Amino acid sequence: MSISGGRPTTLFDKIWDLHRVGRRADGRELIYIDRHVLHDLHAPHAFSKLSRAGRPVRRPDLTFSMQDHSVSVLPGRTEDTYADGAAFVRAMREGSRKNNVRVFDLGDPDQGISHVVAPELGMVLPGATHAVPDSHACTVGGLGALAFGCGTTELEHILATQVITLSRPQTLRVNLLGSLGADVAGKDVALAVLSKLGVSGGRGYAIEFAGPVVRALSIESRLTLCNLTIEMGSRSGLVAPDEATFQWLSGRRFAPVGPQWDAALSHWRTLYTDAAATFDREVDVDCSNLEPQLTWGTEPSHVIGVTGRAPDPAQAEPGKRAAIERALKYMGLAPGEPLEGLPVGRVFIGSCTNSRLPDLEAAASVVKGRKVAEGVTAWVVPGSSGVKREAEARGLDVVFKDAGFMWGESGCSMCAGTNGDMGAAGERVLSTTNRNFENRQGRGVRTHLVGPALAAAAAVTGRITDVRKLRS
Amino acid sequence: MQPFDRISGAAVPMIENDVNTDQIAPLQLAKGLSPDWGELLFKRQRFTPEGAPTDHILNRPQYQSPVILVANENFGCGSSRESAVWCLTGIGIRCIIARSIADIFRENCLQNGVLPIELTGESMDRLQAAVLVADGATSFEVDLPAQKISSPDGLDIRFEISASDKVRLIEGLDEIGLTMKHLAEIEDWEGRTRANHPWLQTAHDRQV
Ligand code: SF4
């Protein structure tokens, strides 16, 4: 069935059209936001502007607050463990309470990173719209929800009106072809797409990820894939929901039940791109023979396979040489140098990209029976308190702690370092996060983005290691 | 929001690709909820860990109060942090000119009365050359109503901007107030959705 009157439409069009409230005089469209999730780094500013303007939050019942960016993740933390974050945590709590917004505070059994908690609790649903004052709002596209990362002023606007004002983006379909080998998952696929599209290839588009690879991905891996949509330059990424999605959502805390579930389900089953629909642009990425991927440089598109070599600027197009040289220098790499074997100082497994249960299981399966190599600092920070609980029920915490990992409380931690968690200058860090910019994880820190299995392999060998070699 | 009409002053050349919001606003270095945004701007590049100024372009005397920043491709990529715009306005910048500008950053500019101009091809080559040559000594003018960038040396470049963005900037209107004029439509939408797709209009917590 097509919602837009018989014309073949894309999944994006179906969701967008259903959420159009009206059109502004300037031509932009007002899009209704079904679920709005806030976090402590940006929401306090919006709350205080709103209260200065004397405006109430229009739909507190559709709004949720998460404490994630400025909280300590050390075991036994309180809001004062990271003293500089305490003001944010308190302002978030007060702003939320004053506006009747439910806050998932420190100590709440479901506190965690917004992009992990919102899907996990079934707050976000297929075909729903979602906004977070955070660029990785796009994560929930993995469930077939249309999400918009937004700024602080837009956040304030949504709080006051429950709509966002947008120009309709164009549509791009990325067809992921082939099938995946062992130790290759959502993160590797996303990095492979990034190396093809570049960091601005998706700009101005809403991306739909399609093809046999996506169908075979776990829901968690789809969330990881969509998480990196913003790294491609695009605000929204989508995967059409399927029976696996519906099963995953069923019984979750905020998911509909009874007759509402049945009605939702029959609507969700219409959420796919019609066969005859066209996109403004299409890109194919063949994922057969894809190795575990990692970044060598200082942009998320600086990607190679784990057995690959850093690029040689002499072989690059003249316009790109200077940037490659600068990235190599920052990363402490020689032109053409293999990455495998490079010593690693720190390993971070966490963030809204790769901190869900299957991520931790993939890492634990490598770590089990091994020890963190000498001189390596290794952390696991579960994406939510719920993930932490489930992991502990399966004994994963023991696997990590026995090996010498720090097993943390949930939060963003050293993904962006906004809670003070950072690496040391010059340190090589294997990180399951999403941004490897210069200085992001601390001044001079050399970040390689990887999936959880590769991160774990580096922790136990002390070097960048092809995890497949540890599997025999 | 401060309306945008014409501005003129020094233009900083930062002819780099993919300048990201982590660089522009290194929030890890910000203390408290309302830091000095202008001081935070490019702090990691402008100062050594010990706090000594580097040779960063924004530390040069001629660029102490610039109003325009000229970049290259994909300016403002990375995190959605509106504070990146606040850092730029913190030192007086009101206009970003780049070959391309990241979507969320671009929107954040518009929300703060900062004009984001995307200029490509030969026009951009000429502008970048002129700004480099001027090295802060010439005042560039950006005229939004006329969609023109000019300088006393005879530079005269036309730029494109969507009619809607132009109106927003020139009028500097209160976005929330404008949307509230559509309140009846918002309420209609909610009513329809409550009937047709009720699960979207309630976020029912089964644990309470
Ligand atoms: S984990 Fe990192 S990318 Fe994700 S929301 Fe937190 S800081 Fe942002």
Side-chain angles (χ1 to χ4, degrees), chain A residues 68-69 113 115 134 136 351-352 412 415-416 418 434-435 440:
Chain A
D68 56 13
H69 276 69
I113 307 173
H115 316 304
D134 190 282
H136 291 99
S351 89
C352 58
C412 295
C415 171
T418 43
N434 45 49
R435 286 180 179 140
R440 169 144 169 130

Side-chain angles (χ1 to χ4, degrees), chain A residues 39 41 68-69 113-116 132 134-137 139 227 230-231 348 350-353 355 411-418 433-435 440, chain B residues 79 81:
Chain A
H39 65 71
L41 191 61
D68 56 13
H69 276 69
I113 307 173
S114 73
H115 316 304
V116 177
V132 188
D134 190 282
S135 58
H136 291 99
T139 310
N227 176 270
I230 185 69
E231 274 57 58
F348 177 74
S351 89
C352 58
T353 312
S355 62
C412 295
S413 186
M414 77 172 281
C415 171
T418 43
T433 54
N434 45 49
R435 286 180 179 140
R440 169 144 169 130
Chain B
S79 307
R81 33 180 93 169

Side-chain angles (χ1 to χ4, degrees), chain A residues 144-165:
Chain A
L146 180 61
F148 306 100
C150 62
T152 314
T153 309
E154 281 181 299
L155 150 66
E156 188 194 343
H157 183 277
I158 300 166
L159 284 175
T161 65
Q162 206 58 29
V163 299
I164 186 170
T165 316

Side-chain angles (χ1 to χ4, degrees), chain A residues 349-425:
Chain A
I349 298 174
S351 89
C352 58
T353 312
N354 277 130
S355 62
R356 298 176 185 82
L357 191 62
D359 299 320
L360 305 192
E361 283 174 328
S365 73
V366 178
V367 169
K368 199 172 170 99
R370 297 188 167 100
K371 292 273 180 233
V372 171
E374 223 178 286
V376 176
T377 308
W379 284 21
V380 182
V381 176
S384 70
S385 303
V387 167
K388 179 169 186 264
R389 203 164 45 243
E390 275 187 63
E392 288 174 352
R394 287 169 166 73
L396 302 187
D397 57 324
V398 178
V399 172
F400 287 118
K401 285 193 279 195
D402 280 355
F405 277 82
M406 191 281 283
W407 175 251
E409 298 288 342
S410 178
C412 295
S413 186
M414 77 172 281
C415 171
T418 43
N419 73 337
D421 292 342
M422 285 182 245

Side-chain angles (χ1 to χ4, degrees), chain B:
Chain B
M1 194 177 79
Q2 196 181 354
F4 193 106
D5 182 33
R6 272 169 217 90
I7 53 150
S8 60
V12 194
M14 194 174 280
I15 318 298
E16 288 173 39
N17 294 335
D18 308 313
V19 173
N20 65 64
T21 55
D22 276 74
Q23 285 169 270
I24 303 170
L27 287 183
Q28 301 100 322
L29 307 181
K31 298 273 176 267
L33 283 160
S34 1
D36 178 337
W37 298 113
E39 193 211 310
L40 192 63
L41 177 68
F42 290 113
K43 193 166 181 181
R44 281 219 172 84
Q45 276 108 328
R46 284 165 70 196
F47 299 96
T48 66
E50 294 71 40
T54 65
D55 64 354
H56 192 272
I57 190 155
L58 288 173
N59 289 338
R60 298 186 198 153
Q62 67 269 41
Y63 294 120
Q64 288 317 292
S65 45
V67 297
I68 301 164
L69 186 142
V70 179
N72 214 38
E73 297 280 1
N74 201 28
F75 188 84
C77 60
S79 307
S80 166
R81 33 180 93 169
E82 195 157 322
S83 39
V85 179
W86 302 338
C87 286
L88 290 160
T89 55
I91 66 160
I93 288 177
R94 294 289 313 280
C95 174
I96 308 288
I97 309 176
R99 290 186 196 272
S100 58
I101 300 176
D103 285 342
I104 297 179
F105 180 82
R106 203 176 159 283
E107 178 61 33
N108 284 337
C109 284
L110 293 164
Q111 297 280 7
N112 287 276
V114 173
L115 167 61
I117 299 178
E118 292 182 309
L119 200 63
T120 55
E122 189 259 345
S123 301
M124 187 56 159
D125 297 345
R126 273 197 294 142
L127 177 72
Q128 289 183 342
V131 168
L132 284 167
V133 167
D135 194 20
T138 312
S139 173
F140 288 79
E141 184 182 74
V142 177
D143 181 334
L144 178 56
Q147 296 184 215
K148 248 177 39 176
I149 306 164
S150 57
S151 79
D153 304 333
L155 187 81
D156 188 357
I157 293 172
R158 207 191 133 71
F159 64 86
E160 298 302 323
I161 181 165
S162 76
S164 65
D165 292 347
K166 186 170 172 177
V167 172
R168 282 169 76 185
L169 284 165
I170 290 179
E171 302 194 348
L173 294 173
D174 166 26
E175 286 276 318
I176 295 177
L178 286 179
T179 297
M180 280 315 227
K181 290 188 186 160
H182 295 263
L183 187 60
E185 284 169 278
I186 297 173
E187 287 171 346
D188 274 0
W189 189 94
E190 288 172 335
R192 269 197 323 274
T193 303
R194 222 171 268 126
N196 300 332
H197 304 103
W199 60 91
L200 294 179
Q201 273 292 297
T202 49
H204 180 61
D205 183 351
R206 280 193 288 126
Q207 276 185 19
V208 289

